[in-house]
């Protein structure tokens, strides 16, 4: 028995001497020993500076000043971890039984660089000489249960690199985590300062051991940011790939975008100043997000469909969406309803087209109706292509003004705003179109045609003043209000009343905001009308000569009374052009006077010559005959004849 007591005494004494030696050992010597052990276990350098303090029971721990832990040999030259101070504590009693229960890991101002390339992560640690796949020592270490009671990183910077490219870089992060038991979920909270406040992250992984070995495991994620929040419930793997139900709620999209580095981007009303987007989300390692069974409530608009998003700057989007009644009447930023009426001119408020830079991609949209500034589309099938602040809207077809449009409209905001288009229209309600586009209310009917146009400017007024292009139009049976051709041709007064026509056709060109037409042709039952002149699309005025002809008047020769339409669109004057009438009448009177004079001259000559003359060509023959007769009489008298 005495020998057993002596042995125990010697062991305790020896252990006490070792502990005492360690406690009395200088800090730099302790740091050297720790660095050597870490190098032996991981193959990486650990550098500790400043004072190193150790504790042994009940927590085996270490506190040090500035520290750096080297990166994997295949990764970048920057250390995997660096911090201004580090404190680590392990449950000493659990360690004796083979369990690793980390009581605390505290780091001040750490910089953690996580890198992944070719299927390897720099956080995977192995002893020198062992491989990630088959190293026996590594397997032995990894087989030990490891738990974490307290992890705190203060003022941290977290960097994640994928194949040498930075995927995430977050600074000023406070992070805490706990995993108290092998069977318990790992819980993590993080906070990061951003413009407008802070982003708060709450993450739970129910099965951390399975996740750490690469198995796909459940994940619950909640993110709260200035202006909104993001929720995710699904599955995740070690590479960060995710699949599950995602919901994005933005109470203030402008503020939320600014928090994620997109400050200054303006989202028009109707496209999600307030938004709620949910769907089945899949995120892959190459930065692609797929949304299926998506429902997007953007302000007062609701859309359903699917979308694929490539995370980049800006995002690349491919989507197919269905909507009911879509209201985009505030897109563009100008207010055409406030201030003066349209009759006073086009709006001079700046058009904000910055939203064209929000994303690139291609979006297919089908809707029952779409309200845009100044007009409303009916049931339409559209494709919107976005490429570096240039949008192309293809219509195949779109319903507008009770008819259909095919073609495309382009808005380009790369170097100043320009708009253009190439459109074909069928069965358009002319009155609805003219009232909407130019407040012109006097012409109605169903029409078809083609239009090519281009306008440049930062306001509606500048664009309309610069319009150029060409086109043609054909209208079937229709009505002109404020002009009565029957009264005009019968009494010379054509104001008031209406004119019903059978057809109308015209071609035109546009330049500097002026539309010029020289071949208008209108056909009526008893009349036809030609037209030519200028329509000021920018100035909102008109100077047009309209010339109707009464086909059955004047024994079928027709009577024409030109009409000049001149003045502002809102109230043009419509009057007969008396100058043209007088010119026509004067020309007819002159011919009549010429005829009377000619008739009288012929009668006088005939009387004098004692013959009948009906044409100027007969005067010479009559004179010859008269001279011959007089000469003959003179000769006979001279010869003494009778």
């Amino acid at each position: 028995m005495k020998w057993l007591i002596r042995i125990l005494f010697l062991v305790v004494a020896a252990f006490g001497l070792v502990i005492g030696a360690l406690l009395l050992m200088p800090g730099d010597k302790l740091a050297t020993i720790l660095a050597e052990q870490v190098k032996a276990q991981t193959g990486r350098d650990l550098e500790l500076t400043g004072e190193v303090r150790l504790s042994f029971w009940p927590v085996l721990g270490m506190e040090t000043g500035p520290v750096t832990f080297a990166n994997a040999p295949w990764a970048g030259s920057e250390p995997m971890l660096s911090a201004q101070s580090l404190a680590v504590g392990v449950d000493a009693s659990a360690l004796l039984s083979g369990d690793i229960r980390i009581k605390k890991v505290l780091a001040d101002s750490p910089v953690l660089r996580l890198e992944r390339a070719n299927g390897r992560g720099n956080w995977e640690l192995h002893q020198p000489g062992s491989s990630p796949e088959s190293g026996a020592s590594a397997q032995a270490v990894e087989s030990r249960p490891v738990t974490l009671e307290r992890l705190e990183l203060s003022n941290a910077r977290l960097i994640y690199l994928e194949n040498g490219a930075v995927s995430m870089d977050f600074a000023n992060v406070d992070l805490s985590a706990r995993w108290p038991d092998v069977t318990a979920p790992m819980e993590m909270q993080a906070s990061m300062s951003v413009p407008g406040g802070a982003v708060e992250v709450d993450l739970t992984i129910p099965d951390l051991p399975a996740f750490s070995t690469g198995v796909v495991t459940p994940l619950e994620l909640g993110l709260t940011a200035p202006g909104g929040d993001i929720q995710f419930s699904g599955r995740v793997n070690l590479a960060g790939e995710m699949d599950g139900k995602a919901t994005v709620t933005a109470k203030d999209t402008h503020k939320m975008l600014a928090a994620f580095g997109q400050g200054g981007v303006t989202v028009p009303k109707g496209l999600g100043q307030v938004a709620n987007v949910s769907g089945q989300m899949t995120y892959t390692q190459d930065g692609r997000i797929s949304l299926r069974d998506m429902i997007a409530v953007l302000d007062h608009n609701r859309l359903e469909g699917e979308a694929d998003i490539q995370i980049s700057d800006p995002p690349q989007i491919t989507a197919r969406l269905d909507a009911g009644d879509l209201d985009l009447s505030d897109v563009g930023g100008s207010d055409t309803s406030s201030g003066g009426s349209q009759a006073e001119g086009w709006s001079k408020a700046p058009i904000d087209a910055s939203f064209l830079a929000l994303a690139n991609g291609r979006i297919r949209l089908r809707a029952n109706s779409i309200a845009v500034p100044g007009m409303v589309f009916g049931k339409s099938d559209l494709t919107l292509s976005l490429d570096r602040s240039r949008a192309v809207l293809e219509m195949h077809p779109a319903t507008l003004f009770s008819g259909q449009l095919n073609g495309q409209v382009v808005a380009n905001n790369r170097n100043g705003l320009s708009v253009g288009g190439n459109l074909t229209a069928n069965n358009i309600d002319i009155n609805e179109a003219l009232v909407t586009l130019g407040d012109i209310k006097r012409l109605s009917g169903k029409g078809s045609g083609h239009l090519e146009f281009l306008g440049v400017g930062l306001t509606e007024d500048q664009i309309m003043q610069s319009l150029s292009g060409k086109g043609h139009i054909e209208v079937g049976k229709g009505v002109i209000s404020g002009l009565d051709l029957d009264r005009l041709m019968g009494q010379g007064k054509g104001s008031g009343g209406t004119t019903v026509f059978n057809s109308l056709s015209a071609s035109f060109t546009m330049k500097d905001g002026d539309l010029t037409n020289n071949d208008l042709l209108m056909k009526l039952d008893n009349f036809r009308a030609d037209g030519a002149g200028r329509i000021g699309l920018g100035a909102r005025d008109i100077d047009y000569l309209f010339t109707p002809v009464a086909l059955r008047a004047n024994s079928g020769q027709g009577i024409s009374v030109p009409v000049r339409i001149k003045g502002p669109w809102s109230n043009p004057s419509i009057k007969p052009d008396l100058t043209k009438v007088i010119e026509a009448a004067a020309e007819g009177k002159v011919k009549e006077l010429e005829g009377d004079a000619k008739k009288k001259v012929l009668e006088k000559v005939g009387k004098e010559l004692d013959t009948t003359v009906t044409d100027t060509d007969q005067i010479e023959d009559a004179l010859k005959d008269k001279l011959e007769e007089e000469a003959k009489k003179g000769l006979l008298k001279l010869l003494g004849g009778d």
Side-chain angles (χ1 to χ4, degrees):
M1 192 65 179
K2 291 182 179 180
W3 61 270
L4 180 58
I5 293 175
R6 289 174 182 174
I7 291 175
L8 290 174
F9 177 77
L10 290 174
V11 170
V12 171
F15 186 75
L17 289 173
V18 172
I19 297 298
L22 290 174
L23 291 174
L24 295 175
M25 187 175 296
D28 56 348
K29 187 63 176 176
L30 285 174
T32 301
I33 294 174
L34 289 172
E36 290 175 352
Q37 290 300 311
V38 170
K39 179 78 170 180
Q41 293 295 322
T42 67
R44 303 192 195 178
D45 293 326
L46 175 68
E47 183 178 347
L48 305 172
T49 57
E51 183 180 0
V52 178
R53 296 186 298 275
L54 296 178
S55 62
F56 293 93
W57 198 270
V59 175
L60 178 60
M62 174 195 72
E63 296 182 8
T64 182
V67 58
T68 59
F69 181 59
N71 214 333
W74 52 266
S77 59
E78 296 290 332
M80 176 181 168
L81 173 67
S82 64
Q84 294 300 311
S85 65
L86 180 66
V88 180
V90 180
D91 188 322
S93 59
L95 190 61
L96 293 176
S97 63
D99 295 336
I100 302 177
R101 296 185 178 275
I102 301 175
K103 304 291 290 184
K104 66 177 182 179
V105 175
L106 309 177
D108 180 37
S109 300
V111 177
L112 179 63
R113 299 175 64 90
L114 300 178
E115 299 186 44
R116 187 172 183 84
N118 300 321
R120 297 180 296 177
N122 66 339
W123 56 86
E124 298 172 2
L125 304 176
H126 306 283
Q127 288 182 318
S130 66
S131 67
E133 294 79 10
S134 58
S137 298
Q139 291 177 357
V141 171
E142 291 172 0
S143 65
R144 295 180 180 180
V146 179
T147 60
L148 175 66
E149 291 189 11
R150 180 187 175 198
L151 168 66
E152 291 187 6
L153 307 179
S154 301
N155 190 30
R157 182 182 178 190
L158 306 179
I159 304 171
Y160 181 74
L161 297 93
E162 190 76 36
N163 295 319
V166 176
S167 297
M168 295 184 295
D169 188 348
F170 301 125
N172 303 317
V173 177
D174 293 330
L175 184 145
S176 63
R178 62 187 303 270
W179 183 44
D181 189 83
V182 174
T183 59
M186 191 278 288
E187 299 174 348
M188 186 187 77
Q189 294 81 37
S191 175
M192 179 179 65
S193 297
V194 296
V199 172
E200 306 284 346
V201 178
D202 194 341
L203 181 147
T204 301
I205 299 179
D207 191 350
L208 185 61
F211 173 75
S212 63
T213 59
V215 176
V216 176
T217 57
L219 170 72
E220 299 290 331
L221 173 67
L223 184 151
T224 302
D229 61 77
I230 300 173
Q231 302 293 326
F232 176 82
S233 178
R235 304 180 304 161
V236 66
N237 64 17
L238 196 60
E241 296 178 321
M242 307 169 72
D243 176 52
K245 177 74 172 182
T247 302
V248 179
T249 303
K251 298 177 181 178
D252 186 335
T253 303
H254 295 148
K255 186 180 291 185
M256 194 170 183
L257 287 173
F260 291 102
Q262 298 296 321
V265 175
T266 300
V267 178
K269 186 176 181 181
L271 290 180
Q273 292 183 356
V274 176
N276 184 286
V277 182
S278 62
Q280 191 69 22
M281 186 198 81
T282 300
Y283 173 75
T284 58
Q285 192 173 347
D286 58 356
R288 295 181 182 274
I289 298 176
S290 297
L291 287 172
R292 299 295 181 265
D293 301 323
M294 182 184 69
I295 298 175
V297 180
L298 309 177
D299 298 319
H300 44 269
N301 294 317
R302 177 186 173 94
L303 301 98
E304 299 180 4
E306 56 188 34
D308 295 297
I309 304 170
Q310 174 67 53
I311 297 177
S312 57
D313 186 18
Q316 184 79 24
I317 300 175
T318 303
R320 290 183 295 276
L321 304 173
D322 291 291
D325 297 320
L326 191 60
D327 184 1
L328 303 177
S329 56
D330 292 316
V331 172
S334 61
D335 187 357
T336 58
S337 62
S338 62
S341 67
Q342 277 199 346
E344 297 175 2
W346 302 108
S347 171
K348 295 183 179 180
I351 297 175
D352 185 357
S354 62
F355 66 92
L356 295 176
L358 284 175
N360 293 333
R362 188 175 178 88
I363 301 171
R364 183 75 175 265
L365 172 65
R366 293 179 295 183
N368 290 332
S369 70
I370 306 173
V372 298
M375 65 185 72
V376 178
F377 288 83
K379 189 173 183 180
S380 300
D381 188 353
L382 310 174
T383 298
L384 177 64
S385 300
L386 296 166
D387 180 27
R388 297 176 292 116
S389 296
R390 182 178 183 269
V392 179
L393 180 65
E394 299 176 67
M395 307 176 190
H396 34 83
T399 302
L400 184 64
F401 306 135
S402 303
Q404 289 191 334
L405 288 179
N406 287 275
Q408 64 179 25
V409 176
V410 180
N412 190 339
N413 197 39
R414 292 175 181 172
N415 297 297
L417 180 61
S418 64
V419 294
N422 191 330
L423 300 172
T424 299
N426 292 294
N427 295 319
I428 295 294
D429 187 308
I430 298 300
N431 181 258
E432 186 181 348
L434 292 178
V435 169
T436 301
L437 299 175
D439 199 28
I440 301 174
K441 305 175 182 178
R442 297 179 180 270
L443 180 65
S444 62
K446 289 286 188 177
S448 301
H450 183 76
L451 172 65
E452 298 177 26
F453 70 95
L454 175 65
V456 179
L458 299 178
T459 67
E460 188 179 77
D461 180 71
Q462 291 176 357
I463 291 174
M464 296 304 294
Q465 295 281 1
S466 68
L467 276 180
S468 61
K470 62 180 179 179
H472 69 267
I473 184 172
E474 295 181 0
V475 182
K477 193 168 186 177
V479 175
I480 301 176
S481 301
L483 178 65
D484 188 339
L485 282 181
D486 286 321
R487 292 185 62 196
L488 177 67
M489 303 304 290
Q491 303 175 19
K493 296 180 180 180
S495 60
T498 59
T499 296
V500 178
F501 60 87
N502 297 324
S503 66
L504 182 152
S505 64
S507 64
F508 57 87
T509 60
M510 295 182 292
K511 183 178 181 182
D512 297 331
D514 284 335
L515 182 151
T516 303
N517 158 254
N518 295 307
D519 62 353
L520 182 140
L521 174 60
M522 180 185 295
K523 294 182 179 180
L524 303 89
D525 289 338
N526 299 318
F527 309 96
R528 62 165 284 166
D530 300 298
R534 179 190 68 84
I535 300 176
L537 302 176
R540 302 171 67 89
D541 64 356
I542 184 170
D543 186 358
Y544 202 83
L545 184 63
F546 186 70
T547 307
V549 179
L551 299 176
R552 297 180 182 178
N554 194 23
S555 302
Q557 297 300 313
I559 296 177
S560 65
V561 180
V563 178
R564 185 165 293 278
I565 305 172
K566 190 172 184 179
W569 289 355
S570 58
N571 188 29
S573 65
I574 304 176
K575 298 179 180 179
D577 192 332
L578 298 180
T579 301
K580 298 293 184 182
V581 173
I582 292 172
E583 288 177 356
E587 182 179 354
K589 190 64 176 177
V590 167
K591 290 182 178 179
E592 182 179 348
L593 292 174
E594 287 178 350
D596 290 343
K598 180 179 178 181
K599 182 178 180 182
K600 290 179 178 179
V601 169
L602 292 176
E603 289 178 353
K604 183 68 173 175
V605 170
K607 186 176 181 180
E608 291 293 333
L609 297 179
D610 192 22
T611 185
T612 301
V613 179
T614 60
D615 197 322
T616 54
D617 292 338
Q618 293 178 337
I619 295 175
E620 184 177 354
D621 294 336
L623 285 173
K624 285 181 178 180
D625 293 341
K626 187 66 176 177
L627 288 173
E628 287 179 0
E629 183 179 350
E630 291 297 327
K632 187 183 295 183
K633 288 180 179 180
L635 181 60
L636 290 173
K637 188 177 181 180
L638 179 63
L639 297 174
D642 291 334

